[in-house]
Amino acid sequence: MAQLINQEARVEPGTTPVTAASKFRKELGWLNHVPAWLHGLLVPIALLILWQIAGDTGLVTKEQLPTPLAIIKRFIELGASGELYHHLGVSSLRALGGFMLGSAIGLLVGMFIGIGKIIERTLDPSLQMLRTVPLLALIPLFILWFGIGEFSKILMISLGAFFPVYLNTFLGIRSVDTKLYDVSRILGYSRWHQLTKLIIPSALPNILLGLRLAMSTSWLILVFAELMGTSAGIGYMIEDARTYSNTDIVFVGIILFALVGSISDIIVHALEKRWLRWWDTFKG
């Protein structure tokens, strides 16, 4: 301890003492020359390289963890055969149908309950109780009631998409400033004009957030919905590959879910930037 104190005491005025933190920053100075958009890709690229090396050197078997190059090769093969596009098209239709149905009902119910307190006290407790039930526990009932056709799958996805839109729509309506209501009454707004000119625009940030969450939930529920006796779809492709230990196809399906989910989120975020330009606090 005394030696450290003596070293600090010998530092000449006007100079900066060399510390471990400053040395570390100096060693990482090369990062300043890397484009900003590439920073987020450095860690994934490093992991992919280590992953490839581990597979090539035999540290892990291809049945346990196929290499990135093997997964890309399988990706290209499935795309060339048309099988990939077939499964992706079927899954996209299911996810989109369930999302649109659940979001539309969630939007209407959220507005209906958010406007009236009596309706809230009557319906909201039942909906909150239903929200706590795991969707996976309802799969046997959906099969018994609606069979294993497309309708049961779309209905299950719509149920998962319903609650994010409902909750955020309700929250958005209840968060509207009461002073704006008073101004609308003074200006003689009708109930319809209050809804279209005040309530919906003010609640739009929450509604779009609900749609964003509902979109991701739709793709999440789709995986389980496609295990209900289906013969096509990404979920079916993953399950079939698991049965025959084709781990590379399993990774192809996982990557597809990640890509399509990210693209869906980007689309909704683009709508946010377009529709919320008037909102002063929006920084998208």
Side-chain angles (χ1 to χ4, degrees):
M1 187 68 181
Q3 293 177 353
L4 292 176
I5 295 175
N6 292 333
Q7 289 178 358
E8 292 181 357
R10 287 196 297 269
V11 175
E12 298 180 1
T15 62
T16 303
V18 179
T19 62
S22 61
K23 288 182 178 179
F24 182 72
R25 285 194 296 269
K26 186 177 181 180
E27 291 174 357
L28 293 180
W30 60 272
L31 285 174
N32 296 325
H33 304 288
V34 177
W37 62 269
L38 193 58
H39 284 189
L41 297 176
L42 292 177
V43 174
I45 291 174
L47 291 177
L48 288 175
I49 294 174
L50 293 176
W51 182 357
Q52 184 68 38
I53 293 173
D56 291 338
T57 55
L59 293 178
V60 291
T61 63
K62 63 179 182 179
E63 289 79 13
Q64 293 176 331
L65 190 64
T67 62
L69 291 179
I71 295 172
I72 294 174
K73 181 180 178 182
R74 179 66 73 170
F75 209 111
I76 296 173
E77 290 176 354
L78 292 174
S81 65
E83 181 181 355
L84 190 67
Y85 304 111
H86 172 65
H87 291 304
L88 180 60
V90 172
S91 294
S92 298
L93 288 176
R94 288 170 180 159
L96 184 61
F99 166 76
M100 293 180 65
L101 178 61
S103 298
I105 298 176
L107 180 63
L108 293 176
V109 174
M111 293 175 58
F112 189 62
I113 295 179
I115 292 174
K117 288 189 176 181
I118 297 178
I119 302 175
E120 176 193 356
R121 290 195 295 265
T122 305
L123 296 180
D124 188 65
S126 300
L127 292 175
Q128 294 297 337
M129 182 175 60
L130 180 62
R131 184 176 64 89
T132 60
V133 178
L135 284 176
L136 297 183
L138 298 177
I139 290 180
L141 287 178
F142 275 81
I143 295 175
L144 289 173
W145 290 346
F146 309 107
I148 58 175
E150 292 298 314
F151 179 71
S152 62
K153 297 177 181 60
I154 292 177
L155 197 62
M156 186 174 181
I157 296 171
S158 65
L159 184 60
F162 167 81
F163 286 104
V165 178
Y166 161 68
L167 292 173
N168 282 277
T169 301
F170 174 81
L171 177 62
I173 291 175
R174 289 301 172 89
S175 300
V176 178
D177 193 347
T178 55
K179 296 179 180 178
L180 297 178
Y181 280 109
D182 296 335
V183 173
S184 66
R185 293 191 188 97
I186 295 174
L187 296 176
Y189 276 28
S190 63
R191 194 63 174 174
W192 172 254
H193 282 91
Q194 281 185 338
L195 180 65
T196 57
K197 302 295 184 180
L198 171 61
I199 297 176
I200 293 180
S202 298
L204 190 58
N206 293 84
I207 294 174
L208 290 175
L209 174 61
L211 291 175
R212 202 168 176 178
L213 296 174
M215 180 66 76
S216 60
T217 304
S218 297
W219 284 103
L220 178 64
I221 302 301
L222 174 68
V223 181
F224 303 101
E226 289 186 337
L227 300 179
M228 297 163 50
T230 185
S231 59
I234 302 176
Y236 166 79
M237 185 181 71
I238 292 176
E239 181 63 19
D240 185 66
R242 183 197 63 81
T243 303
Y244 295 100
S245 299
N246 294 325
T247 316
D248 50 356
I249 298 181
V250 174
F251 273 96
V252 170
I254 294 173
I255 293 171
L256 271 179
F257 275 123
L259 290 176
V260 176
S262 298
I263 292 172
S264 303
D265 188 74
I266 290 173
I267 293 174
V268 178
H269 184 61
L271 293 177
E272 285 183 344
K273 295 181 68 174
R274 181 179 179 85
W275 293 345
L276 298 181
R277 287 179 295 182
W278 54 270
W279 192 22
D280 292 337
T281 57
F282 181 71
K283 303 299 181 183

